[in-house]
Structure formats: structure tokens, C-alpha cells
Amino acid sequence: MDNTDLQFKHSASCKANSAFAWSFWTDVSNWEKIEGDTVEWIRLEGDFQKGTKGMTKTPGQEPQHWTITDLVADEYATIDIELSGAILHNTMRFKSLADDHTLITQTMQLSGPEATEFVEGMNMLKRSAPAGLAKLAKAIEEVA
């Protein structure tokens, strides 16, 4: 298996300046609105900053714990989700474009000794990521 199975990247643009798009995304209550019935709740244990921990509860599942492991305000953040023997790294980047548009790029990568055990789930994420980014872009535009 090659590393292309363990990493992917997708982008979407929205008609809003990058500072607004960043502010919208870092308010995790907006994540709940975008995800709808696929999540029961999303919680952040403090401010959206490096080192802060969070949890996502999906119906019928135990809460999934995650940590903001890297962050440059208004530019990008990486959220790591610990799995059994692997880590899913989810990086969201916000880049200013002309005419108050923002390019949002999501990179997801699996690492760790058991990463290959999660390839099927990673492939599901890869298929759903474009639609998820499109929902995020639309939600940002609706309130910008």
C-alpha cells in the first residue's frame, strides 16, 4: 500500500474574507449546525487554540476525543484524533483570494503503526470531504 491511501486533500472556495471564514470555522457550534443530525454535540474544552481538547458525540457512539495540535490564527489549524494505534490529522487552511473570497483546503492524513487498519474509513472520508467542504463554504456565505 502506498501513502496515497493514507492522505488526501480537497479544497473549496467561499465568498467571504478569510478572517470571517476562520472565525466562523473556529466556532465549533457552527460545526454542529453544518453536521445536523450526524452529530449529537461537539464540545471544546476552552478557547480554540493549540493544545485545547475537544469531543464529538455521534448518535449511538461514544464521544470521539480530539486535540488541536497546531494552529496559526487566521491561517490554519490541525486537529488530531487518536485512534487505536494511529492518529488522524485533519488540517484546515484558509487562504485569501481576490475579491474577498477564501480558499479552504482540508488535508487528512493517517499516521502511526496501525494506520493501514483504517484505510477503509479514510476512503469513506475522502469520498465525503468534497461535500463537507461545500457545506462549510455555503454556511459561511449565508452569514457573511
Side-chain angles (χ1 to χ4, degrees), residues 28-99:
V28 299
S29 69
N30 289 322
W31 300 1
E32 289 181 0
K33 294 171 193 167
I34 292 167
E35 295 298 329
D37 293 339
T38 63
V39 298
E40 289 182 24
W41 48 258
I42 300 171
R43 296 189 181 138
L44 192 60
E45 298 174 354
D47 294 332
F48 198 97
Q49 62 188 13
K50 185 176 178 178
T52 300
K53 296 187 180 302
M55 292 182 289
T56 302
K57 174 77 170 86
T58 57
Q61 302 289 322
E62 290 296 315
Q64 180 68 58
H65 297 264
W66 43 269
T67 304
I68 302 168
T69 57
D70 196 11
L71 180 143
V72 173
D74 296 326
E75 291 184 29
Y76 72 88
T78 299
I79 295 173
D80 284 356
I81 302 168
E82 289 195 34
L83 306 169
S84 180
I87 298 174
L88 176 62
H89 311 277
N90 178 23
T91 301
M92 299 288 281
R93 293 190 177 276
F94 295 76
K95 181 181 178 186
S96 292
L97 302 174
D99 299 326

Side-chain angles (χ1 to χ4, degrees), residues 1 6 83-86 110-122:
M1 172 179 330
L6 302 178
L83 306 169
S84 180
L110 277 169
S111 67
E114 303 297 324
T116 56
E117 298 299 316
F118 297 94
V119 168
E120 184 177 325
M122 189 68 159

Side-chain angles (χ1 to χ4, degrees), residues 12-14 16-18 21 74-76 93-98 101-105:
S13 64
C14 63
N17 69 54
S18 62
D74 296 326
E75 291 184 29
Y76 72 88
R93 293 190 177 276
F94 295 76
K95 181 181 178 186
S96 292
L97 302 174
H101 280 72
T102 300
L103 181 67
I104 305 168
T105 301

